[in-house]
Amino acid sequence: MHRRERSAGSTPEASVSAQRRFLVVAFGALVGITTVLILTGLALDDGHFTYVFDDAAIHLSMARQLTEHATWGVTAHHYASASSSPAWTLLLAAFTFVLPVGHDLLPLALNLVAAFAILLLFARHQEFLHVRAGERLSGCVVVLVVAVLWFLPSLVLAGMEHIVHAALFVGILVLVDRRVHVDGDRTMPLALMLALATAVRYETSFIAVGVAIAMLCASGRMLGRDTRDRLSGRTARRASVAVLMASALPIAIVALVNRAFGEGYVPNSIVAKTGSDRVLGLVRTPTGALAALTSDPALLALAFVAGAYLLWAAFDGPQRNASIAVTFLVTAWLHVSFADMGWFERYQAYLIIGGSFVALRICAEVFTPDHRRRILVAVLVVCALAMGKSVLLVETPLAMSNTYRQRYQVAKFLHRYYDGHAFLTGELGYTTLLHNGAVVDVLGLGTYPVAVERHAGVETLGARFVERLIKQSDVQVFAVYASAPGFVVPADWTVVAHWHLAEPKITIPDSDIAFFARKGASARVLERRLKSFESELPTRVTAVYREELFRQFVTGA
């Protein structure tokens, strides 16, 4: 028997108390650290609250358009598949419609609720990381796991759907375990959870493939010795088809709606991010996938634990958690093969949190209580592998400052002087949240023709293509990153000024925002408006006008 024995004195009452202490320590650490980050951000940003990314405001903008104009997009009466998370956008829209105030804080509140759901699932469905009375080491480990390994405080302030997706992934793992070991004939709850999670993030399709393979393995000879009596091959095949169809359903619905409005089968962000640098425009080469996996040492360590456990299980080792280990390992490999990594550690957050759940379940199964302290030290080592996240954690208020001093100020300027008129930009969030009017997005999220060009591998949009876009929308002004705007500026347009941000770049690609207008009267009007707004710019933001820009260019300064 490869089972963990209950330690002496480990009664149900003691277990419940350990669960409660885990929740108190974990949620207390989350709320405390998040509060410190918010207060620091408010102090940096003159009392203004902004999220780490502009992307959070994209969803808020879409929620606003949906509730005010019944439009799916970032501008009124113009359909745009700008959200890769339909369920998150709909959730924000529902609360925006019901609540009269505080819409900007909705992502923050919903992420805290989702984070608590993650902690509750860990408290109830794994025993290894519970905090026992008088045990300081486990309390320290819990704080580091929540703050550094899972990166929850910073993800809360990212204002995106990634924590909700991670909570759903852990819930799916719980249901997979229950489906295999308890409810051998009940697939509906798992299918519904997968459908919901796919509507939150398309990466759930990777999870669905992992679940399907786990079901088949649970009915097989190598990994199904303990489960074949509850899950026959025929039942497993039916369950596999059901979960794959459930995950495919939201993707199919979005595809049909998009096509009905003349756009692609998937959201524009996915269209733009897949292209000529991948096999068939979609999948990384095996070498590229391995490089993506090794780019996050913590994820690599969790994958190694799951892989080693499955290898042992295949050779007559313990198998209690084989199904969730298969689900996680397949999901992780598909993610590094198809999806992005990094960008403030958010893309693989669901893998880190789900992989932690699998690893802790494995530890509780294969190690005796006498080894628990040593394994907790090993968990500290895994946290140490993620110490790069501790740097980002400390830099989170500075990332919020990046957004406030650059993107938010651009949004204020455009709203004040160009409201009701079209503009061109690569940042849709706060600009479209505050603005009323058309927009051309040179990254492609809000402008489908641009997404198609990006998908084709076009690094720089041509002048004719850009001119056609700005004529169609009657664009009045450009506000783009200065170093690499991603397009050729038409000959009759000129740079008027740069806004330079004199602080480290955390979540922005460039310290300078460039403003362009058509040569002549439009350029003079833009310059006059920029100079009028200059007195309102926050500290560490400097306006540099075209004469000085030309001098810097000539002298190489």
Side-chain angles (χ1 to χ4, degrees), residues 277-279 282-296 299-300 303 329-341 348 351:
D277 61 333
R278 304 187 183 198
V279 179
L282 295 173
V283 61
R284 290 190 179 96
T285 62
T287 303
L290 184 60
L293 178 62
T294 55
S295 68
D296 191 321
L299 178 59
L300 181 63
L329 208 57
V330 172
T331 302
W333 183 251
L334 289 174
H335 183 99
V336 298
S337 297
F338 288 89
D340 289 333
M341 300 282 288
Q348 69 268 29
L351 292 175

PDB file of all heavy atoms in Angstrom, residues 277-279 282-296 299-300 303 329-341 348 351:
ATOM      1  N   ASP A 277       5.360  32.675 -37.365  1.00  0.00           N
ATOM      2  CA  ASP A 277       6.483  32.181 -36.583  1.00  0.00           C
ATOM      3  C   ASP A 277       6.201  30.826 -35.944  1.00  0.00           C
ATOM      4  O   ASP A 277       7.018  30.310 -35.188  1.00  0.00           O
ATOM      5  CB  ASP A 277       6.858  33.184 -35.491  1.00  0.00           C
ATOM      6  CG  ASP A 277       5.718  33.437 -34.515  1.00  0.00           C
ATOM      7  OD1 ASP A 277       4.548  33.272 -34.926  1.00  0.00           O
ATOM      8  OD2 ASP A 277       5.998  33.790 -33.364  1.00  0.00           O
ATOM      9  N   ARG A 278       5.043  30.216 -36.260  1.00  0.00           N
ATOM     10  CA  ARG A 278       4.685  28.917 -35.687  1.00  0.00           C
ATOM     11  C   ARG A 278       4.303  27.955 -36.799  1.00  0.00           C
ATOM     12  O   ARG A 278       3.916  28.370 -37.894  1.00  0.00           O
ATOM     13  CB  ARG A 278       3.523  29.057 -34.700  1.00  0.00           C
ATOM     14  CG  ARG A 278       3.801  30.061 -33.574  1.00  0.00           C
ATOM     15  CD  ARG A 278       2.712  30.048 -32.544  1.00  0.00           C
ATOM     16  NE  ARG A 278       2.932  31.049 -31.520  1.00  0.00           N
ATOM     17  CZ  ARG A 278       2.336  31.051 -30.329  1.00  0.00           C
ATOM     18  NH1 ARG A 278       1.488  30.087 -30.029  1.00  0.00           N
ATOM     19  NH2 ARG A 278       2.592  31.992 -29.454  1.00  0.00           N
ATOM     20  N   VAL A 279       4.385  26.684 -36.500  1.00  0.00           N
ATOM     21  CA  VAL A 279       4.008  25.664 -37.462  1.00  0.00           C
ATOM     22  C   VAL A 279       2.513  25.785 -37.729  1.00  0.00           C
ATOM     23  O   VAL A 279       1.692  25.790 -36.803  1.00  0.00           O
ATOM     24  CB  VAL A 279       4.338  24.252 -36.924  1.00  0.00           C
ATOM     25  CG1 VAL A 279       3.906  23.198 -37.927  1.00  0.00           C
ATOM     26  CG2 VAL A 279       5.829  24.141 -36.635  1.00  0.00           C
ATOM     27  N   LEU A 282       0.088  28.135 -35.738  1.00  0.00           N
ATOM     28  CA  LEU A 282      -0.540  27.880 -34.450  1.00  0.00           C
ATOM     29  C   LEU A 282       0.397  27.319 -33.394  1.00  0.00           C
ATOM     30  O   LEU A 282       0.480  27.829 -32.289  1.00  0.00           O
ATOM     31  CB  LEU A 282      -1.723  26.903 -34.629  1.00  0.00           C
ATOM     32  CG  LEU A 282      -2.918  27.400 -35.452  1.00  0.00           C
ATOM     33  CD1 LEU A 282      -3.891  26.250 -35.666  1.00  0.00           C
ATOM     34  CD2 LEU A 282      -3.607  28.544 -34.726  1.00  0.00           C
ATOM     35  N   VAL A 283       1.100  26.252 -33.713  1.00  0.00           N
ATOM     36  CA  VAL A 283       1.814  25.478 -32.699  1.00  0.00           C
ATOM     37  C   VAL A 283       3.313  25.738 -32.758  1.00  0.00           C
ATOM     38  O   VAL A 283       3.896  25.874 -33.829  1.00  0.00           O
ATOM     39  CB  VAL A 283       1.517  23.969 -32.863  1.00  0.00           C
ATOM     40  CG1 VAL A 283       1.976  23.459 -34.221  1.00  0.00           C
ATOM     41  CG2 VAL A 283       2.161  23.146 -31.752  1.00  0.00           C
ATOM     42  N   ARG A 284       3.927  25.829 -31.577  1.00  0.00           N
ATOM     43  CA  ARG A 284       5.375  25.954 -31.504  1.00  0.00           C
ATOM     44  C   ARG A 284       6.033  24.627 -31.879  1.00  0.00           C
ATOM     45  O   ARG A 284       5.439  23.555 -31.730  1.00  0.00           O
ATOM     46  CB  ARG A 284       5.803  26.329 -30.085  1.00  0.00           C
ATOM     47  CG  ARG A 284       5.450  27.733 -29.653  1.00  0.00           C
ATOM     48  CD  ARG A 284       6.143  28.058 -28.332  1.00  0.00           C
ATOM     49  NE  ARG A 284       5.842  29.423 -27.911  1.00  0.00           N
ATOM     50  CZ  ARG A 284       4.884  29.744 -27.056  1.00  0.00           C
ATOM     51  NH1 ARG A 284       4.117  28.794 -26.553  1.00  0.00           N
ATOM     52  NH2 ARG A 284       4.671  31.000 -26.723  1.00  0.00           N
ATOM     53  N   THR A 285       7.249  24.709 -32.323  1.00  0.00           N
ATOM     54  CA  THR A 285       8.036  23.504 -32.531  1.00  0.00           C
ATOM     55  C   THR A 285       8.317  22.870 -31.169  1.00  0.00           C
ATOM     56  O   THR A 285       8.238  23.541 -30.128  1.00  0.00           O
ATOM     57  CB  THR A 285       9.363  23.827 -33.218  1.00  0.00           C
ATOM     58  OG1 THR A 285      10.130  24.688 -32.359  1.00  0.00           O
ATOM     59  CG2 THR A 285       9.127  24.516 -34.559  1.00  0.00           C
ATOM     60  N   PRO A 286       8.666  21.565 -31.113  1.00  0.00           N
ATOM     61  CA  PRO A 286       9.003  20.943 -29.817  1.00  0.00           C
ATOM     62  C   PRO A 286      10.095  21.700 -29.069  1.00  0.00           C
ATOM     63  O   PRO A 286      10.038  21.844 -27.845  1.00  0.00           O
ATOM     64  CB  PRO A 286       9.455  19.539 -30.222  1.00  0.00           C
ATOM     65  CG  PRO A 286       8.711  19.254 -31.482  1.00  0.00           C
ATOM     66  CD  PRO A 286       8.637  20.574 -32.202  1.00  0.00           C
ATOM     67  N   THR A 287      11.088  22.200 -29.812  1.00  0.00           N
ATOM     68  CA  THR A 287      12.152  22.983 -29.171  1.00  0.00           C
ATOM     69  C   THR A 287      11.597  24.264 -28.567  1.00  0.00           C
ATOM     70  O   THR A 287      11.950  24.651 -27.444  1.00  0.00           O
ATOM     71  CB  THR A 287      13.253  23.325 -30.190  1.00  0.00           C
ATOM     72  OG1 THR A 287      13.768  22.122 -30.755  1.00  0.00           O
ATOM     73  CG2 THR A 287      14.383  24.093 -29.522  1.00  0.00           C
ATOM     74  N   GLY A 288      10.700  24.922 -29.304  1.00  0.00           N
ATOM     75  CA  GLY A 288      10.089  26.147 -28.796  1.00  0.00           C
ATOM     76  C   GLY A 288       9.218  25.878 -27.589  1.00  0.00           C
ATOM     77  O   GLY A 288       9.196  26.669 -26.634  1.00  0.00           O
ATOM     78  N   ALA A 289       8.494  24.751 -27.600  1.00  0.00           N
ATOM     79  CA  ALA A 289       7.641  24.393 -26.464  1.00  0.00           C
ATOM     80  C   ALA A 289       8.485  24.117 -25.221  1.00  0.00           C
ATOM     81  O   ALA A 289       8.137  24.532 -24.111  1.00  0.00           O
ATOM     82  CB  ALA A 289       6.783  23.177 -26.811  1.00  0.00           C
ATOM     83  N   LEU A 290       9.607  23.408 -25.418  1.00  0.00           N
ATOM     84  CA  LEU A 290      10.483  23.120 -24.286  1.00  0.00           C
ATOM     85  C   LEU A 290      11.087  24.407 -23.734  1.00  0.00           C
ATOM     86  O   LEU A 290      11.212  24.576 -22.511  1.00  0.00           O
ATOM     87  CB  LEU A 290      11.592  22.160 -24.722  1.00  0.00           C
ATOM     88  CG  LEU A 290      12.542  21.684 -23.614  1.00  0.00           C
ATOM     89  CD1 LEU A 290      11.764  20.942 -22.536  1.00  0.00           C
ATOM     90  CD2 LEU A 290      13.627  20.778 -24.201  1.00  0.00           C
ATOM     91  N   ALA A 291      11.447  25.325 -24.619  1.00  0.00           N
ATOM     92  CA  ALA A 291      11.980  26.611 -24.173  1.00  0.00           C
ATOM     93  C   ALA A 291      10.933  27.387 -23.378  1.00  0.00           C
ATOM     94  O   ALA A 291      11.252  28.029 -22.368  1.00  0.00           O
ATOM     95  CB  ALA A 291      12.447  27.428 -25.374  1.00  0.00           C
ATOM     96  N   ALA A 292       9.673  27.332 -23.818  1.00  0.00           N
ATOM     97  CA  ALA A 292       8.600  28.010 -23.093  1.00  0.00           C
ATOM     98  C   ALA A 292       8.405  27.382 -21.710  1.00  0.00           C
ATOM     99  O   ALA A 292       8.207  28.089 -20.719  1.00  0.00           O
ATOM    100  CB  ALA A 292       7.302  27.942 -23.888  1.00  0.00           C
ATOM    101  N   LEU A 293       8.478  26.057 -21.633  1.00  0.00           N
ATOM    102  CA  LEU A 293       8.312  25.372 -20.354  1.00  0.00           C
ATOM    103  C   LEU A 293       9.428  25.741 -19.385  1.00  0.00           C
ATOM    104  O   LEU A 293       9.185  26.021 -18.203  1.00  0.00           O
ATOM    105  CB  LEU A 293       8.275  23.864 -20.570  1.00  0.00           C
ATOM    106  CG  LEU A 293       8.149  22.992 -19.314  1.00  0.00           C
ATOM    107  CD1 LEU A 293       6.845  23.281 -18.589  1.00  0.00           C
ATOM    108  CD2 LEU A 293       8.231  21.508 -19.683  1.00  0.00           C
ATOM    109  N   THR A 294      10.652  25.747 -19.860  1.00  0.00           N
ATOM    110  CA  THR A 294      11.794  26.042 -18.993  1.00  0.00           C
ATOM    111  C   THR A 294      11.906  27.531 -18.668  1.00  0.00           C
ATOM    112  O   THR A 294      12.708  27.911 -17.818  1.00  0.00           O
ATOM    113  CB  THR A 294      13.106  25.561 -19.644  1.00  0.00           C
ATOM    114  OG1 THR A 294      13.240  26.150 -20.947  1.00  0.00           O
ATOM    115  CG2 THR A 294      13.118  24.049 -19.778  1.00  0.00           C
ATOM    116  N   SER A 295      11.109  28.368 -19.339  1.00  0.00           N
ATOM    117  CA  SER A 295      11.147  29.795 -19.029  1.00  0.00           C
ATOM    118  C   SER A 295      10.567  30.100 -17.656  1.00  0.00           C
ATOM    119  O   SER A 295      10.805  31.169 -17.100  1.00  0.00           O
ATOM    120  CB  SER A 295      10.387  30.593 -20.096  1.00  0.00           C
ATOM    121  OG  SER A 295       8.986  30.324 -20.036  1.00  0.00           O
ATOM    122  N   ASP A 296       9.783  29.174 -17.102  1.00  0.00           N
ATOM    123  CA  ASP A 296       9.236  29.327 -15.760  1.00  0.00           C
ATOM    124  C   ASP A 296       9.716  28.153 -14.917  1.00  0.00           C
ATOM    125  O   ASP A 296       9.141  27.058 -14.989  1.00  0.00           O
ATOM    126  CB  ASP A 296       7.708  29.373 -15.794  1.00  0.00           C
ATOM    127  CG  ASP A 296       7.104  29.787 -14.457  1.00  0.00           C
ATOM    128  OD1 ASP A 296       7.621  29.362 -13.408  1.00  0.00           O
ATOM    129  OD2 ASP A 296       6.109  30.536 -14.455  1.00  0.00           O
ATOM    130  N   LEU A 299       7.008  26.250 -12.857  1.00  0.00           N
ATOM    131  CA  LEU A 299       6.163  25.385 -13.663  1.00  0.00           C
ATOM    132  C   LEU A 299       6.910  24.120 -14.063  1.00  0.00           C
ATOM    133  O   LEU A 299       6.347  23.017 -14.048  1.00  0.00           O
ATOM    134  CB  LEU A 299       5.683  26.128 -14.913  1.00  0.00           C
ATOM    135  CG  LEU A 299       4.821  25.336 -15.891  1.00  0.00           C
ATOM    136  CD1 LEU A 299       3.563  24.816 -15.215  1.00  0.00           C
ATOM    137  CD2 LEU A 299       4.457  26.186 -17.114  1.00  0.00           C
ATOM    138  N   LEU A 300       8.171  24.254 -14.413  1.00  0.00           N
ATOM    139  CA  LEU A 300       8.989  23.091 -14.758  1.00  0.00           C
ATOM    140  C   LEU A 300       9.085  22.129 -13.583  1.00  0.00           C
ATOM    141  O   LEU A 300       8.973  20.906 -13.753  1.00  0.00           O
ATOM    142  CB  LEU A 300      10.380  23.549 -15.191  1.00  0.00           C
ATOM    143  CG  LEU A 300      11.365  22.449 -15.613  1.00  0.00           C
ATOM    144  CD1 LEU A 300      10.853  21.713 -16.842  1.00  0.00           C
ATOM    145  CD2 LEU A 300      12.740  23.060 -15.875  1.00  0.00           C
ATOM    146  N   ALA A 303       5.750  20.336 -13.154  1.00  0.00           N
ATOM    147  CA  ALA A 303       5.597  19.335 -14.212  1.00  0.00           C
ATOM    148  C   ALA A 303       6.476  18.122 -13.937  1.00  0.00           C
ATOM    149  O   ALA A 303       6.077  16.973 -14.192  1.00  0.00           O
ATOM    150  CB  ALA A 303       5.935  19.953 -15.569  1.00  0.00           C
ATOM    151  N   LEU A 329      -0.505  17.571 -16.542  1.00  0.00           N
ATOM    152  CA  LEU A 329       0.672  17.447 -17.396  1.00  0.00           C
ATOM    153  C   LEU A 329       0.316  17.670 -18.868  1.00  0.00           C
ATOM    154  O   LEU A 329       1.038  18.371 -19.592  1.00  0.00           O
ATOM    155  CB  LEU A 329       1.306  16.068 -17.204  1.00  0.00           C
ATOM    156  CG  LEU A 329       2.814  15.962 -17.462  1.00  0.00           C
ATOM    157  CD1 LEU A 329       3.571  16.937 -16.590  1.00  0.00           C
ATOM    158  CD2 LEU A 329       3.295  14.540 -17.200  1.00  0.00           C
ATOM    159  N   VAL A 330      -0.798  17.110 -19.316  1.00  0.00           N
ATOM    160  CA  VAL A 330      -1.237  17.320 -20.695  1.00  0.00           C
ATOM    161  C   VAL A 330      -1.571  18.797 -20.924  1.00  0.00           C
ATOM    162  O   VAL A 330      -1.191  19.389 -21.948  1.00  0.00           O
ATOM    163  CB  VAL A 330      -2.458  16.436 -21.024  1.00  0.00           C
ATOM    164  CG1 VAL A 330      -3.046  16.798 -22.384  1.00  0.00           C
ATOM    165  CG2 VAL A 330      -2.068  14.959 -21.007  1.00  0.00           C
ATOM    166  N   THR A 331      -2.263  19.407 -19.967  1.00  0.00           N
ATOM    167  CA  THR A 331      -2.621  20.820 -20.091  1.00  0.00           C
ATOM    168  C   THR A 331      -1.372  21.693 -20.194  1.00  0.00           C
ATOM    169  O   THR A 331      -1.298  22.603 -21.034  1.00  0.00           O
ATOM    170  CB  THR A 331      -3.456  21.265 -18.875  1.00  0.00           C
ATOM    171  OG1 THR A 331      -4.628  20.458 -18.782  1.00  0.00           O
ATOM    172  CG2 THR A 331      -3.864  22.714 -18.993  1.00  0.00           C
ATOM    173  N   ALA A 332      -0.386  21.407 -19.336  1.00  0.00           N
ATOM    174  CA  ALA A 332       0.839  22.208 -19.338  1.00  0.00           C
ATOM    175  C   ALA A 332       1.572  22.088 -20.667  1.00  0.00           C
ATOM    176  O   ALA A 332       2.052  23.094 -21.214  1.00  0.00           O
ATOM    177  CB  ALA A 332       1.750  21.763 -18.187  1.00  0.00           C
ATOM    178  N   TRP A 333       1.652  20.863 -21.208  1.00  0.00           N
ATOM    179  CA  TRP A 333       2.377  20.700 -22.469  1.00  0.00           C
ATOM    180  C   TRP A 333       1.646  21.378 -23.623  1.00  0.00           C
ATOM    181  O   TRP A 333       2.261  22.013 -24.483  1.00  0.00           O
ATOM    182  CB  TRP A 333       2.609  19.228 -22.782  1.00  0.00           C
ATOM    183  CG  TRP A 333       3.414  19.057 -24.034  1.00  0.00           C
ATOM    184  CD1 TRP A 333       2.992  18.596 -25.251  1.00  0.00           C
ATOM    185  CD2 TRP A 333       4.800  19.387 -24.204  1.00  0.00           C
ATOM    186  NE1 TRP A 333       4.022  18.619 -26.158  1.00  0.00           N
ATOM    187  CE2 TRP A 333       5.145  19.099 -25.548  1.00  0.00           C
ATOM    188  CE3 TRP A 333       5.779  19.900 -23.356  1.00  0.00           C
ATOM    189  CZ2 TRP A 333       6.424  19.311 -26.054  1.00  0.00           C
ATOM    190  CZ3 TRP A 333       7.055  20.112 -23.855  1.00  0.00           C
ATOM    191  CH2 TRP A 333       7.365  19.826 -25.192  1.00  0.00           C
ATOM    192  N   LEU A 334       0.340  21.266 -23.662  1.00  0.00           N
ATOM    193  CA  LEU A 334      -0.422  21.931 -24.716  1.00  0.00           C
ATOM    194  C   LEU A 334      -0.299  23.452 -24.597  1.00  0.00           C
ATOM    195  O   LEU A 334      -0.210  24.152 -25.610  1.00  0.00           O
ATOM    196  CB  LEU A 334      -1.893  21.514 -24.657  1.00  0.00           C
ATOM    197  CG  LEU A 334      -2.200  20.070 -25.094  1.00  0.00           C
ATOM    198  CD1 LEU A 334      -3.664  19.741 -24.847  1.00  0.00           C
ATOM    199  CD2 LEU A 334      -1.846  19.865 -26.559  1.00  0.00           C
ATOM    200  N   HIS A 335      -0.273  23.944 -23.367  1.00  0.00           N
ATOM    201  CA  HIS A 335      -0.152  25.398 -23.191  1.00  0.00           C
ATOM    202  C   HIS A 335       1.185  25.896 -23.728  1.00  0.00           C
ATOM    203  O   HIS A 335       1.221  26.887 -24.482  1.00  0.00           O
ATOM    204  CB  HIS A 335      -0.285  25.768 -21.714  1.00  0.00           C
ATOM    205  CG  HIS A 335      -0.234  27.246 -21.465  1.00  0.00           C
ATOM    206  ND1 HIS A 335      -1.362  28.014 -21.275  1.00  0.00           N
ATOM    207  CD2 HIS A 335       0.814  28.115 -21.406  1.00  0.00           C
ATOM    208  CE1 HIS A 335      -1.019  29.275 -21.109  1.00  0.00           C
ATOM    209  NE2 HIS A 335       0.310  29.368 -21.180  1.00  0.00           N
ATOM    210  N   VAL A 336       2.268  25.250 -23.345  1.00  0.00           N
ATOM    211  CA  VAL A 336       3.575  25.736 -23.813  1.00  0.00           C
ATOM    212  C   VAL A 336       3.738  25.506 -25.310  1.00  0.00           C
ATOM    213  O   VAL A 336       4.585  26.139 -25.951  1.00  0.00           O
ATOM    214  CB  VAL A 336       4.737  25.070 -23.034  1.00  0.00           C
ATOM    215  CG1 VAL A 336       4.647  25.422 -21.559  1.00  0.00           C
ATOM    216  CG2 VAL A 336       4.777  23.561 -23.240  1.00  0.00           C
ATOM    217  N   SER A 337       2.928  24.625 -25.894  1.00  0.00           N
ATOM    218  CA  SER A 337       3.000  24.376 -27.333  1.00  0.00           C
ATOM    219  C   SER A 337       2.199  25.387 -28.138  1.00  0.00           C
ATOM    220  O   SER A 337       2.551  25.692 -29.283  1.00  0.00           O
ATOM    221  CB  SER A 337       2.485  22.965 -27.655  1.00  0.00           C
ATOM    222  OG  SER A 337       3.299  21.980 -27.055  1.00  0.00           O
ATOM    223  N   PHE A 338       1.138  25.910 -27.565  1.00  0.00           N
ATOM    224  CA  PHE A 338       0.224  26.773 -28.316  1.00  0.00           C
ATOM    225  C   PHE A 338       0.109  28.199 -27.785  1.00  0.00           C
ATOM    226  O   PHE A 338      -0.122  29.121 -28.569  1.00  0.00           O
ATOM    227  CB  PHE A 338      -1.187  26.164 -28.331  1.00  0.00           C
ATOM    228  CG  PHE A 338      -1.335  24.958 -29.203  1.00  0.00           C
ATOM    229  CD1 PHE A 338      -1.100  23.692 -28.697  1.00  0.00           C
ATOM    230  CD2 PHE A 338      -1.705  25.078 -30.538  1.00  0.00           C
ATOM    231  CE1 PHE A 338      -1.236  22.571 -29.491  1.00  0.00           C
ATOM    232  CE2 PHE A 338      -1.844  23.959 -31.342  1.00  0.00           C
ATOM    233  CZ  PHE A 338      -1.606  22.701 -30.818  1.00  0.00           C
ATOM    234  N   ALA A 339       0.211  28.377 -26.476  1.00  0.00           N
ATOM    235  CA  ALA A 339      -0.151  29.659 -25.866  1.00  0.00           C
ATOM    236  C   ALA A 339       1.086  30.439 -25.412  1.00  0.00           C
ATOM    237  O   ALA A 339       2.211  29.944 -25.445  1.00  0.00           O
ATOM    238  CB  ALA A 339      -1.093  29.420 -24.684  1.00  0.00           C
ATOM    239  N   ASP A 340       0.837  31.657 -24.954  1.00  0.00           N
ATOM    240  CA  ASP A 340       1.907  32.544 -24.514  1.00  0.00           C
ATOM    241  C   ASP A 340       2.259  32.292 -23.054  1.00  0.00           C
ATOM    242  O   ASP A 340       1.471  31.743 -22.280  1.00  0.00           O
ATOM    243  CB  ASP A 340       1.497  34.005 -24.693  1.00  0.00           C
ATOM    244  CG  ASP A 340       1.454  34.420 -26.155  1.00  0.00           C
ATOM    245  OD1 ASP A 340       2.191  33.811 -26.956  1.00  0.00           O
ATOM    246  OD2 ASP A 340       0.695  35.335 -26.497  1.00  0.00           O
ATOM    247  N   MET A 341       3.440  32.746 -22.684  1.00  0.00           N
ATOM    248  CA  MET A 341       3.916  32.663 -21.301  1.00  0.00           C
ATOM    249  C   MET A 341       4.263  34.072 -20.828  1.00  0.00           C
ATOM    250  O   MET A 341       4.549  34.966 -21.619  1.00  0.00           O
ATOM    251  CB  MET A 341       5.163  31.776 -21.215  1.00  0.00           C
ATOM    252  CG  MET A 341       4.954  30.346 -21.677  1.00  0.00           C
ATOM    253  SD  MET A 341       4.115  29.336 -20.453  1.00  0.00           S
ATOM    254  CE  MET A 341       5.413  29.162 -19.230  1.00  0.00           C
ATOM    255  N   GLN A 348       0.441  31.855 -17.458  1.00  0.00           N
ATOM    256  CA  GLN A 348       0.576  30.508 -16.909  1.00  0.00           C
ATOM    257  C   GLN A 348       0.127  30.425 -15.454  1.00  0.00           C
ATOM    258  O   GLN A 348       0.373  29.424 -14.786  1.00  0.00           O
ATOM    259  CB  GLN A 348       2.014  30.008 -17.028  1.00  0.00           C
ATOM    260  CG  GLN A 348       3.029  30.714 -16.132  1.00  0.00           C
ATOM    261  CD  GLN A 348       3.684  31.887 -16.807  1.00  0.00           C
ATOM    262  OE1 GLN A 348       3.092  32.526 -17.683  1.00  0.00           O
ATOM    263  NE2 GLN A 348       4.911  32.176 -16.434  1.00  0.00           N
ATOM    264  N   LEU A 351      -1.808  27.371 -14.524  1.00  0.00           N
ATOM    265  CA  LEU A 351      -0.983  26.157 -14.477  1.00  0.00           C
ATOM    266  C   LEU A 351      -0.214  26.068 -13.163  1.00  0.00           C
ATOM    267  O   LEU A 351      -0.100  24.983 -12.572  1.00  0.00           O
ATOM    268  CB  LEU A 351      -0.004  26.147 -15.651  1.00  0.00           C
ATOM    269  CG  LEU A 351      -0.600  25.993 -17.048  1.00  0.00           C
ATOM    270  CD1 LEU A 351       0.488  26.129 -18.100  1.00  0.00           C
ATOM    271  CD2 LEU A 351      -1.318  24.658 -17.184  1.00  0.00           C
TER     272      LEU A 351
END
